[in-house]
Amino acid sequence: MISLFLLVLAMALVTYIPRLVPLLWLRDLKLPPFVKRFLLFTPYAVLASLIFPGILQATTSLTSALVGGAVATSLAFLRVNLMLVVIGGIAGVYLVETFL
Amino acid sequence: MATPVPQMTPISNKDAFRSGMRAGIPVAVGYIPIAIAFGLLAKSFDMPNVITLAMSLFIFAGASQFIGVQLIMAGSMYWEIILTTFILNLRHFLMSAALSQRLETTSNRFLAAIAFGVTDETFSVASTRDESTRGHFVLGLNMIAFLAWNVGTWIGVFLAFGLPTSVQTSMGIALYAMFIGLLVPSLTRKPVIVVAAIAVLTQAVLYYGVSPFIPLSSGLSIILATIVAAGIGAMVYKEDEA
């Protein structure tokens, strides 16, 4: 039990370090323009790589995941509130898994 | 860089914090079912409740907690578990680095508090909101996500035995729907479209072409795809188009 707890603390530490180091030490550094542009593009690159291929295994079937993703994408194109995009995605999956 | 100087809005720290919490509601809604699932999984593996709750409290990283529980119960070596966790979460380095360039100056202690709450989801929301130059906004956002994650874990460990599976599995799409909802409205500028497309393409190559032969953790492939896509974007688009 104690060793398990120590393991959790070690996991917490190696999770925290990558989150902390850039925030503390990259701020005051004068970054070269290339690195700045790289960091400006990072959010979009991260979002896209989070969505695919992860979404394929987000639900119990590929079909429901794709339908949920399609509903969310359509709603997002219509610029509706983020909460509605999420609810729409869930509803899409729920309907497919219940009725197909 | 001709980025417009952000208007110094007369919003108090308290209001920025509150507005961050509001911005985090979709994240919280997505986290609760996943955290419940995490609690249930740990329970089904007979993980001591204290350890499960401590994981959500101290680690606060979804994927590595799931994998951690599985590895612990499979009897993996501790150093293997720690290394896997590290590799899986190294992607947050890129996110914190991006965040470090947005945030206005705040104390190191404050930054240390913000850093703890950097996740895929909180980062995604923060980086698509103009208010995220305010430390209090990001802290509020991270805080509500952290609360939801822990509340969900408690529910999973102590309460959730009768949740219909159909509802549970439908919730699995929640975070992805949120990512889509965050990315799609940004796809109006060509550089962003190109970077997103390269990221997906790289992921496809890694997923279908590489991972059947060389096992790649999802964390590692996210890091690789991000570096390739943001790197090409930074090389090709030299003007401040990002």
Side-chain angles (χ1 to χ4, degrees), chain B residues 92-113:
Chain B
H92 296 137
F93 186 93
L94 295 174
M95 301 179 201
S96 278
L99 206 55
S100 76
Q101 301 299 302
R102 284 176 82 88
L103 283 172
E104 289 161 4
T105 330
T106 34
S107 71
N108 277 354
R109 196 187 293 183
F110 199 80
L111 288 170

Side-chain angles (χ1 to χ4, degrees), chain A residues 10-71:
Chain A
M11 288 171 74
L13 191 70
V14 296
T15 305
Y16 188 48
I17 289 169
R19 286 170 168 168
L20 180 67
V21 167
L23 272 175
L24 285 192
W25 288 299
L26 277 190
R27 286 167 53 79
D28 306 319
L29 228 63
K30 197 97 183 81
L31 295 175
F34 175 83
V35 177
K36 278 207 153 150
R37 287 200 302 275
F38 180 90
L39 292 177
L40 284 174
F41 279 121
T42 300
Y44 311 111
V46 168
L47 275 174
S49 17
L50 283 170
I51 295 168
F52 185 85
I55 194 169
L56 303 179
Q57 274 130 31
T59 61
T60 42
S61 80
L62 185 62
T63 318
S64 68
L66 290 179
V67 170
V71 172

